[in-house]
Amino acid sequence: MRILGIESSCDETAVAIYDAEYGIIAEHIASQIETHAKFGGVVPEVASREHLKVLPALVPQVLNEADCDWKDIDGIAVTAGPGLMGALLVGVTYARSVGLVNSIPVLPIHHMEGHLFAPGLSDEGLPAFPFMSLLVSGGHTMLIRVDGLGQYQVVGQTIDDAAGECFDKTARVLGLPYPGGPEIAKLALNGDASVFNLPRPMLNKPNFNFSFSGLKTAVIYAAKGCANFDTQTKADLAAATELAIADVLTKKSINACKAENINNLVIAGGVAANRTLRTMLDKVSEQEGIKLYVPSLKYCTDNASMIAYVGAMRFERGQTIHNDWDANPRWKLPELS
Ligand code: KG4
Ligand code: ZN
């Protein structure tokens, strides 16, 4: 079985082909980061136009790389939400059109479900169900108990900003370009986190929810309070922010595993690429007897391989193809489906 995956929910146009026997046989990501960086964030209308320009050429290119023709493709998996409406519509409309013309079934895939299973593309693969998943991206911060494909229970989530959003907003305070996460991580390498004492929001609350908007405000006040906001001070503040985010994510994830009596923790989403977070989780989970599963760096941020992979899981399960679906920018990860 071969599944073509299409991802266009935000600022990456991505196409990949997953083969049930060989794994990912071709993949490509066309990033729009440079286009949006000059605006300091993603401009939805610009994103849609870029997808429209890039996608029709990228699909034949990836088919070609995989030495495939449409007749070799058994199913198309396309991100149908959540994300930017116009951006999603480009992928969904394209997928539906080529599906119709070539008589290939098309499945809508939830973007966060793609992230959730992305570690399954690594050599180590995923643990057996149930496992705990920490999903940390630009728009989501969630702890999910995963009992099977489509069997999700949200154990905790952010009540305001997502962790990635906090990285991006802090980066703006520090005068760094979009996307902020990798920039903060780079700057933090030269910083001393102990210079600033930033809060760990909701760390000691008896639940697994997160809140990052207060941390962002604390960073703004810390920056304003600096008489000399030079490069070293910015690096110190970047390191302190990164450490505060990693600390909260690590402790809440481990506590959630313990509360649910689960020994396997999976992390995914763009923020899962953060080295400080990965190192801290690695250390603490080992101390607590919890096994950690991480996606390879290229499958942390948005890509189509994760969409093709989940598509293959769902096609394999014999998921019925309905036609009554559409792009849904606010599609919620169903707690149980
Ligand atoms: O999963 P993703 O690519 O897109 C969404 O679905 O949102 O996540 C993007 C987010 C951005 O907020 C970006 O700043 C953050 O992930 N990010 C990072 C790193 N790489 C990307 N945050 C911290 N450290 C990184 N190395
Ligand atoms: Zn994403």
Side-chain angles (χ1 to χ4, degrees), residues 108-319:
I109 300 296
H110 193 289
H111 180 81
M112 296 313 289
E113 189 177 59
H115 277 303
L116 207 158
F117 286 101
L121 289 167
S122 65
D123 289 343
E124 194 175 24
L126 284 165
F129 300 116
F131 58 81
M132 187 64 69
S133 175
L134 171 68
L135 274 183
V136 268
S137 70
H140 292 78
T141 301
M142 299 173 118
L143 273 164
I144 298 172
R145 181 193 161 107
V146 182
D147 282 285
L149 177 67
Q151 289 178 272
Y152 312 124
Q153 203 180 316
V154 179
V155 173
Q157 58 190 321
T158 183
I159 58 165
D160 42 54
D161 291 355
E165 204 175 341
C166 188
F167 271 111
D168 294 336
K169 288 176 174 170
T170 301
R172 236 179 269 173
V173 177
L174 299 179
L176 299 170
Y178 170 86
E183 297 291 331
I184 297 257
K186 221 188 299 166
L187 187 61
L189 289 175
N190 304 318
D192 175 359
S194 68
V195 170
F196 290 94
N197 187 15
L198 294 177
R200 268 63 172 159
M202 298 188 67
L203 190 58
N204 297 317
K205 282 261 170 6
N207 60 41
F208 307 109
N209 289 335
F210 305 90
S211 164
F212 289 106
S213 80
L215 177 58
K216 171 197 66 191
T217 310
V219 171
I220 293 171
Y221 279 110
K224 277 188 182 156
C226 292
N228 182 11
F229 202 40
D230 58 9
T231 310
Q232 186 55 52
T233 313
K234 285 181 184 174
D236 295 340
L237 192 49
T241 308
E242 189 180 48
L243 194 67
I245 294 174
D247 212 11
V248 176
L249 293 176
T250 299
K251 293 204 172 109
K252 290 261 173 178
S253 302
I254 299 294
N255 288 347
C257 286
K258 286 185 180 166
E260 291 287 322
N261 211 8
I262 284 180
N263 292 327
N264 292 308
L265 172 64
V266 173
I267 60 167
V271 179
N274 186 270
R275 292 208 184 269
T276 300
L277 174 65
R278 288 166 89 105
T279 308
M280 192 186 284
L281 269 171
D282 203 37
K283 190 171 150 213
V284 180
S285 55
E286 198 186 334
Q287 284 165 357
E288 299 290 344
I290 291 166
K291 184 153 170 41
L292 181 70
Y293 294 78
V294 293
S296 55
L297 287 178
K298 70 172 177 177
Y299 295 138
C300 286
T301 42
D302 289 352
N303 65 88
S305 298
M306 65 185 193
I307 303 301
Y309 181 56
V310 169
M313 289 167 83
R314 287 196 168 271
F315 273 113
E316 226 158 54
R317 193 171 84 163
Q319 176 145 344

Side-chain angles (χ1 to χ4, degrees), residues 2-25:
R2 277 186 180 166
I3 306 299
L4 179 104
I6 296 176
E7 157 64 40
S8 72
S9 65
C10 191
D11 57 348
E12 328 275 357
T13 321
V15 180
I17 299 174
Y18 177 81
D19 181 293
E21 197 176 338
Y22 299 106
I24 296 295
I25 54 171

Side-chain angles (χ1 to χ4, degrees), residues 89 97 323 328:
L89 270 175
S97 309
N323 278 325
N328 181 354

